[in-house]
Amino acid sequence: MINGEPTATPEPAVHGPRVGLAQTCIAESTGAKSRTATGNIPKRVGEIWKQVTVVNEHKTSPSLMCKHCSKTFCGGVTRIKTHIIDQCTNTTEAFLEIKQKILDVARSESAHKRQKTVEDQVDMASMCEDSAVFETTTNQG
């Protein structure tokens, strides 16, 4: 039971590491911990979630409706951003400000990732040079 509601009975495992029906029953009767999903719904907070309404809740991704153009689609934060940036037909001043803010954040995150990649490459090259110097001095000595 999850939150006081009955859950579906798991199917027995055919093979592999899955927990079968018999093992689940034994685990429940012995007090052992079972390996079941918690079913928690993620927190949907932040500016991006204020742009949509959750229409229908699914286990993996909710069905959403854009508050600006009323289009429905499934997905999460990435899908909402894609809709707002590329597909939403709204052209009001307030919406364009939201769209610009999302684009600015995406650009700054992208620039930060590029900078981190460059730093990592420099660090790796430095380690390779240090390793080559160490091997050279070790082989000579």
Side-chain angles (χ1 to χ4, degrees):
M1 291 187 121
I2 297 176
N3 296 331
E5 296 183 21
T7 58
T9 306
E11 294 182 19
V14 178
H15 49 60
R18 298 172 115 180
V19 177
L21 180 60
Q23 289 134 342
T24 303
C25 292
I26 291 169
E28 288 175 358
S29 65
T30 61
K33 294 181 180 179
S34 62
R35 298 172 48 190
T36 58
T38 58
N40 292 338
I41 297 172
K43 292 180 182 177
R44 296 188 175 114
V45 295
E47 288 299 315
I48 200 73
W49 285 100
K50 292 178 184 176
Q51 311 311 312
V52 296
T53 303
V54 177
V55 178
N56 195 358
E57 195 67 56
H58 299 287
K59 286 187 178 185
T60 54
S61 63
S63 179
L64 308 168
M65 183 175 70
C66 178
K67 291 181 179 179
H68 304 286
C69 69
S70 300
K71 180 179 179 179
T72 58
F73 54 93
C74 288
V77 171
T78 303
R79 182 67 182 90
I80 298 168
K81 288 178 183 178
T82 301
H83 170 76
I84 290 173
I85 293 169
D86 298 331
Q87 302 164 351
C88 194
T89 57
N90 192 322
T91 57
T92 63
E93 188 68 31
F95 175 75
L96 294 176
E97 287 178 18
I98 292 167
K99 184 176 179 176
Q100 188 59 49
K101 185 187 290 186
I102 292 169
L103 285 168
D104 292 344
V105 169
R107 284 186 189 120
S108 69
E109 288 174 352
S110 179
H112 182 265
K113 286 180 184 178
R114 281 194 304 273
Q115 179 63 31
K116 178 110 174 85
T117 301
V118 169
E119 290 171 0
D120 291 345
Q121 289 172 346
V122 169
D123 290 344
M124 185 62 85
S126 173
M127 287 180 5
C128 290
E129 288 174 4
D130 292 344
S131 175
V133 170
F134 175 75
E135 288 177 11
T136 305
T137 58
T138 305
N139 291 337
Q140 291 176 358

